[in-house]
C-alpha cells in the first residue's frame, strides 16, 4: 500500500505539472530604461513561453505614474520584437534651404524627443508625447546588431560587434559604432577593439562619462534552474570585465581589464564624477537555488594609459536583498537616476521589484508593481505541488471522517457529534479555495485582469486583490444562502445552520464569510481562529458567533432530529398480541383459552 500511494503521489505531481505548464503566460528576459520629456520609460522584452509552439518575442513600454514607481501605465503594448536597445532620439528639424524666407524658418516645428528601439536591421521610433504613441520606422544602414546605445552631447551612438560574432564557435569580432543625428542613422567607418566571448556569448553595455563613452563587455554563463522554455533565457555574466573608451570620433588605443568582480549581471552608471557598477551577485558556491545574492555597488577606477588591468572596489552592499527566498533567484538589477532620485529595478525574469535610495539608504518600495507584467512560474509550480499534496491529504481525511460519520449514525448521536471538527472544516475550505482560485484566474483571463498568483491572493493584508475577494464573497455567501452549504462543505458532508437548525439568512451568510475571510488568513488562523474552534463548546469561530451560525455534520443532525422526535413521541398502549397460528395443525388448531392454552 505504501508504494502504491507513493506512485499515486508521483503521478499527481506529473499531471499537475503538465496541466500547469500553460498557466504562466510566459517569461521576460530583458529590461531597458531611458528617459524622454523628463519622464522615465522601461521597455520589457518577453516571450509567449508556450512549450511545443513557435516561440515569439514581444516588447512593451511602460512609464510610472507614482513617485515610488509602484504603479505603471502602458505606453506601447505587445510590439513584435526582439528589441536590443532603447535610446533617446531627439528629432532635429532639417536646415531650411538657402532660398527660404526668414518667416518660413521661424515657422519650422520645434524639436521633439522620441524613444527609439533598435532591432535587427531596423529601428522603431515612438513619439511618447502623443496618446497613443505615434510610430515611425527606419532601415538601419549597417548589418551588425546594435546591442547598446547612449546619448552624448545631443548625439545618440549605438554600438555592436561585427556580424559574424554570433556564429559559433567564434563569438569574436570588432566593436562597431553608428550615430543618430536626429534625422537618420549613419555608420562610422571606425573599428574598435576586439570583443571575444565564450561559447554562450557576451554582455555589452555603454554609459556616458565626462571622459567619453565607456563600453563594457563580459562573458555570459547559463543559469537555468528548471527548463529554459519555462523560466526564460537565464544567463549571468562572469569572468573579467573589459572596458574601452569612445570619444565621439575614435576608440581609445587600448582596453582595460577588471578581474576582481563577482559573478552576476551588472549595470554601469555615473554617480557625480565617479563611475560605478551595480551587480546582482550570483555566486554558485554561496547561492543556492532558493537564495538570492546581494546587490553590490562597485567603484571603477579611472583608466590609466598603458595600464592593462585595474582593480575595482566594493563600496556598498544591499544586504536586504538576501531576504527573499524562492525557486527563481533574482538575476538582473539596473540602476537609473532621474530628478536627483536614484532607483533600482530588479527582476528574476518572472516578477519585478523597485528599490529607491532615501536618506542615504536603499529601500524596497514596490514588489510586483501594478501595471507591469507578472509571469510568476514560481508560484504556479508551488501551487501545483500544494494541490497534489492537498489532494492526497484530502482523500485520506475524507475517507477517515466519512467512516467516522457512518459509525456515529448507527449509534446514538450525542450533541458534541453535531458540530464539525477542525479537520472537516479545513478540508471543505481547501476544496472551496481551489474553486475560488480557478474562477478568479478564468475570469481574469476573460476580463483582462492582471495575473496575480494564488499565493499573493491570500496575502490580503499587504496587497489587496479585489477581484479575488469579490469572487470569494459571491461564491461562499451565495452557495451557503441558496443551498445551506458550499461545494466543499457538501463534499465533506457539512451544512451551515442557524439556531434550531434553521437555514441561513442572506445577512448571516454575508457576515460569517466577510469575517471568515480575515480569520482564515495565514497570520490569523493559527493564532486565533484555530483555537476558537478547538476550545469553543460548539466549535464556532468569530464569524459564526457574530452571525449566530453553526457548522454541523448534516447526517448527524438529521439522525439527531429523528432520535429526539422518537423520544418525544407518546408511548403506544400495550397490546394483547396472541402467538401466531400453527398452520400445520388440523381443524380447530389455533383455538386457545384465555390463558393462551390449547383447548
Amino acid at each position: 500500500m505504501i508504494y502504491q500511494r507513493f506512485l499515486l503521489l508521483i503521478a499527481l505531481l506529473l499531471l499537475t505539472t503538465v496541466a500547469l505548464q500553460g498557466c504562466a503566460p510566459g517569461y521576460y528576459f530583458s529590461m531597458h530604461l531611458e528617459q524622454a520629456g523628463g519622464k522615465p520609460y522601461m521597455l520589457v522584452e518577453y516571450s509567449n513561453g508556450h512549450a511545443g509552439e513557435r516561440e515569439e518575442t514581444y516588447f512593451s513600454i511602460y512609464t510610472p505614474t507614482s513617485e515610488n514607481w509602484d504603479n505603471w501605465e502602458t505606453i506601447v503594448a505587445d510590439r513584435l520584437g526582439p528589441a536590443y536597445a532603447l535610446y533617446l532620439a531627439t528629432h532635429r528639424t532639417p536646415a531650411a534651404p538657402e532660398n527660404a524666407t526668414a518667416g518660413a524658418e521661424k515657422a519650422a516645428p520645434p524639436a521633439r524627443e522620441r524613444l527609439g528601439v533598435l532591432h535587427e536591421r531596423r529601428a522603431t521610433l515612438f513619439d511618447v508625447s502623443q496618446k497613443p504613441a505615434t510610430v515611425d520606422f527606419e532601415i538601419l544602414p549597417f548589418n551588425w546588431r546594435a546591442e547598446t546605445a547612449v546619448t552624448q552631447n545631443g548625439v545618440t551612438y549605438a554600438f555592436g560587434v561585427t556580424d559574424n560574432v554570433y556564429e559559433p564557435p567564434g563569438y569574436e569580432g570588432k566593436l562597431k559604432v553608428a550615430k543618430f543625428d536626429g534625422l537618420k542613422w549613419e555608420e562610422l567607418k571606425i573599428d574598435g577593439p576586439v570583443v571575444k566571448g565564450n561559447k554562450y556569448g557576451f554582455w555589452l553595455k555603454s554609459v556616458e562619462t565626462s571622459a567619453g563613452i565607456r563600453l563594457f563587455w563580459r562573458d555570459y554563463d547559463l543559469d537555468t534552474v528548471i527548463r529554459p522554455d519555462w523560466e526564460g533565457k537565464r544567463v549571468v555574466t562572469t569572468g573579467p570585465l573589459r572596458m574601452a573608451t569612445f570619444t565621439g570620433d575614435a576608440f581609445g588605443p587600448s582596453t582595460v581589464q577588471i578581474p576582481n568582480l563577482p559573478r552576476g549581471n551588472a549595470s554601469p552608471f555615473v554617480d557625480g564624477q565617479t563611475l560605478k557598477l551595480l551587480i546582482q551577485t550570483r555566486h554558485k558556491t554561496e547561492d543556492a537555488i532558493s537564495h538570492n545574492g546581494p546587490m553590490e555597488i562597485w567603484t571603477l577606477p579611472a583608466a590609466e594609459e598603458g595600464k592593462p588591468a585595474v582593480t575595482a572596489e566594493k563600496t556598498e552592499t544591499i544586504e536586504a536583498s538576501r531576504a527573499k527566498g524562492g525557486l527563481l533567484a533574482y538575476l538582473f538589477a539596473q540602476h537609473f537616476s532621474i530628478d536627483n532620485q536614484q532607483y533600482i529595478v530588479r527582476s528574476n525574469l518572472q516578477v519585478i521589484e523597485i528599490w529607491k535610495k532615501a536618506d542615504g539608504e536603499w529601500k524596497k518600495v514596490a514588489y510586483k508593481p501594478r501595471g507591469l507584467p507578472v509571469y510568476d512560474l514560481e508560484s504556479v509550480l508551488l501551487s501545483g505541488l500544494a494541490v497534489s499534496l492537498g489532494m492526497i491529504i484530502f482523500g485520506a481525511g475524507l475517507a477517515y471522517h466519512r467512516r467516522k460519520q457512518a459509525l456515529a449514525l448507527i449509534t446514538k448521536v450525542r450533541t458534541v457529534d453535531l458540530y464539525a471538527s477542525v479537520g472537516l472544516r479545513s478540508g471543505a475550505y481547501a476544496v472551496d479555495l481551489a474553486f475560488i482560485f480557478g474562477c478568479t484566474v478564468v475570469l481574469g483571463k476573460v476580463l483582462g485582469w492582471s495575473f496575480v498568483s494564488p499565493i499573493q491572493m491570500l496575502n490580503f493584508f499587504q496587497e489587496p486583490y479585489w477581484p479575488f475577494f469579490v469572487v470569494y464573497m459571491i461564491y461562499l455567501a451565495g452557495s451557503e444562502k441558496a443551498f445551506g452549504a458550499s461545494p466543499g462543505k457538501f463534499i465533506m458532508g457539512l451544512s451551515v445552520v442557524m439556531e434550531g437548525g434553521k437555514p441561513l439568512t442572506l445577512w448571516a451568510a454575508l457576515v460569517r464569510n466577510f469575517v471568515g475571510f480575515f480569520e482564515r488568513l495565514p497570520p490569523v488562523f493559527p493564532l486565533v481562529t484555530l483555537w476558537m474552534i478547538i476550545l469553543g463548546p460548539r466549535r464556532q469561530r468569530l464569524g459564526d458567533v457574530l452571525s449566530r451560525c453553526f457548522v454541523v455534520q448534516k447526517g448527524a443532525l438529521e439522525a439527531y432530529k429523528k432520535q429526539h422526535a422518537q423520544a418525544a413521541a407518546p408511548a403506544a398502549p400495550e397490546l394483547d398480541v396472541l402467538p401466531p397460528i400453527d398452520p400445520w395443525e388440523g381443524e380447530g388448531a389455533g383455538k386457545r383459552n384465555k390463558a393462551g392454552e390449547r383447548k
Side-chain angles (χ1 to χ4, degrees), residues 68-86:
N68 288 333
W69 293 14
D70 51 357
N71 284 286
W72 295 68
E73 64 175 341
T74 305
I75 303 300
V76 175
D78 300 330
R79 303 288 299 192
L80 191 61
Y84 298 123
L86 183 67

Side-chain angles (χ1 to χ4, degrees), residues 142-401:
F142 48 87
N143 58 6
W144 43 269
R145 182 184 298 175
E147 296 266 4
T148 180
V150 64
T151 300
Q152 187 175 48
N153 299 326
V155 179
T156 299
Y157 295 91
F159 300 90
V161 184
T162 48
D163 57 352
N164 63 344
V165 71
Y166 300 102
E167 299 297 329
Y171 292 105
E172 180 177 351
K174 292 183 177 180
L175 275 175
K176 304 294 290 183
V177 59
K179 73 174 182 178
F180 181 77
D181 61 1
L183 295 175
K184 62 180 181 178
W185 279 99
E186 176 189 1
E187 182 181 12
L188 303 182
K189 302 303 181 180
I190 304 172
D191 286 339
V194 173
V195 175
K196 184 176 181 180
N198 61 10
K199 62 180 180 179
Y200 301 117
F202 59 87
W203 161 86
L204 179 65
K205 276 291 182 182
S206 59
V207 64
E208 176 194 10
T209 70
S210 58
I213 296 174
R214 300 287 191 186
L215 292 156
F216 305 90
W217 63 94
R218 197 182 189 194
D219 291 345
Y220 268 141
D221 192 11
L222 291 184
D223 197 81
T224 301
V225 178
I226 308 173
R227 285 177 51 178
D229 56 342
W230 283 16
E231 59 188 288
K233 303 171 183 177
R234 295 174 63 91
V235 290
V236 296
T237 62
T238 186
L241 178 73
R242 294 169 178 84
M243 179 175 65
T245 303
F246 179 74
T247 58
D249 53 6
F251 287 95
S254 61
T255 62
V256 177
Q257 181 172 293
I258 306 171
N260 66 319
L261 294 174
R263 181 178 184 267
N265 291 311
S267 168
F269 66 98
V270 175
D271 187 5
Q273 298 296 319
T274 305
L275 183 59
K276 295 185 176 182
L277 202 66
L278 169 69
I279 302 179
Q280 172 58 60
T281 61
R282 186 75 172 133
H283 302 285
K284 280 187 174 180
T285 56
E286 298 176 14
D287 296 341
I289 291 176
S290 61
H291 198 62
N292 286 294
M295 291 185 289
E296 297 177 351
I297 295 179
W298 290 68
T299 298
L300 303 181
E304 299 181 17
E305 190 67 31
K307 194 172 184 180
V310 296
T311 302
E313 179 184 0
K314 183 171 65 174
T315 54
E316 189 174 357
T317 300
I318 306 177
E319 288 289 354
S321 64
R322 285 188 176 273
K324 190 264 179 193
L327 183 63
L328 302 177
Y330 285 102
L331 285 185
F332 294 96
Q334 187 166 351
H335 181 278
F336 192 79
S337 297
I338 188 170
D339 295 334
N340 297 320
Q341 294 287 342
Q342 297 186 59
Y343 297 87
I344 291 176
V345 180
R346 189 165 76 146
S347 169
N348 64 349
L349 303 185
Q350 300 286 318
V351 298
I352 291 175
E353 65 180 27
I354 308 295
W355 293 69
K356 183 179 179 181
K357 195 166 189 178
D359 300 327
E361 294 184 0
W362 286 101
K363 297 180 181 179
K364 184 167 66 173
V365 293
Y367 175 67
K368 294 183 182 179
R370 290 181 177 85
L372 292 181
V374 177
Y375 304 144
D376 205 345
L377 174 65
E378 178 179 309
S379 293
V380 171
L381 293 177
L382 292 176
S383 300
L385 177 62
V387 169
S388 300
L389 295 175
M391 289 173 63
I392 296 175
I393 296 172
F394 171 73
L398 179 61
Y400 169 77
H401 284 291

Side-chain angles (χ1 to χ4, degrees), residues 12-27:
L12 286 172
L13 287 172
L14 291 175
L15 288 173
T16 305
T17 303
V18 172
L20 290 173
Q21 182 173 346
C23 291
Y27 54 81

